[in-house]
Every structure is written in structure tokens, then in C-alpha cells.
Amino acid sequence: MKDRAREARPAARRGSKADRAAADEAAVLAKIAEMRDTDRAMAERLHAVVRAHAPGLAPKLWYGMPAYAEDGKVVCFFQSAQKFGTRYATLGFGDRARLDDGTMWPAAYALRELTAADEARIGALVRRAVS
């Protein structure tokens, strides 16, 4: 909650929309740079995949995690394994993600590493989430 409170304060700052977007992306990249090696490598690749497959999503911090938003609402986020001391990182999707598949579908995926096939699958999920 403290992370979220710190994130909300700068959102109220003045400046152009482009300045705020650049500051938000810089904050996401700084958070990724703070991660341990394995999480950092995955977060860097995820950032590149999301930016390539859904350029309309805006990077932002969300509860201290790199996230990608549409109209200010989180569509997907990366939770490092280190954040909660888990054995895997998580790629999660918010309720804005359009991944509906009947009455039940996955909203989060465990990640231990990223292969080229994983990146392709994530790219497809992200495209679908914003379609």
C-alpha cells in the first residue's frame, strides 16, 4: 500500500501528458533495474514484448510493480518473485484485459524463465487483452 501511495502522489503533478508518460516509463524501467538478475531479465523482456505487441498501453507503476494501462486502468502487470518471496514471477491481467473464454479463464501466469515460444504466447495474450 505504501508503494501505491507513493505512486499516486506524482500522478497529481503538473506537466504535459508526454512528460507524465515519459516519467511513468522511466519509473517502470527504474523499478525493473532494481530487480534481481532473473526477475530483471524477465521484466526487461516482458516490457519489450508488451511495448511491441500493444504500443497503446502505457507503462506505469502499480503497487510497486511494472504495469501497463489503457486509459489509466491496468491491463497487465509483472510481479517479481522477489516481491513476495515466491519461487516464480507472475504475469497478471486485470479485469480490463479482454481474455474472456467462456465462464472461466486464467488471469495470471507463473513465470520461471522466458523462452522465445513463451514470448510469442505472451505477445498474443497482450494483443488479445487490448483487442
Side-chain angles (χ1 to χ4, degrees), residues 36 38-39 42 80-82 84-90 110-113:
R36 67 179 178 210
T38 306
D39 287 342
M42 282 192 290
S80 71
Q82 183 179 4
F84 294 107
T86 59
R87 65 183 181 89
Y88 53 82
T90 304
L111 304 171
R112 295 198 56 197
E113 65 179 74

Side-chain angles (χ1 to χ4, degrees), residues 37-86:
D37 292 343
T38 306
D39 287 342
R40 184 176 56 250
M42 282 192 290
E44 287 169 348
R45 289 303 312 140
L46 280 172
H47 181 77
V49 167
V50 171
R51 299 298 281 153
H53 291 277
L57 291 181
K60 66 183 265 177
L61 287 179
W62 182 65
Y63 294 97
M65 297 177 283
Y68 304 87
E70 180 178 59
D71 300 325
K73 304 290 183 178
V74 170
V75 173
C76 62
F77 61 91
F78 176 75
Q79 179 181 298
S80 71
Q82 183 179 4
K83 184 164 179 78
F84 294 107
T86 59

Side-chain angles (χ1 to χ4, degrees), residues 113-124:
E113 65 179 74
L114 286 180
T115 65
D118 297 330
E119 289 180 19
R121 184 174 177 201
I122 289 167

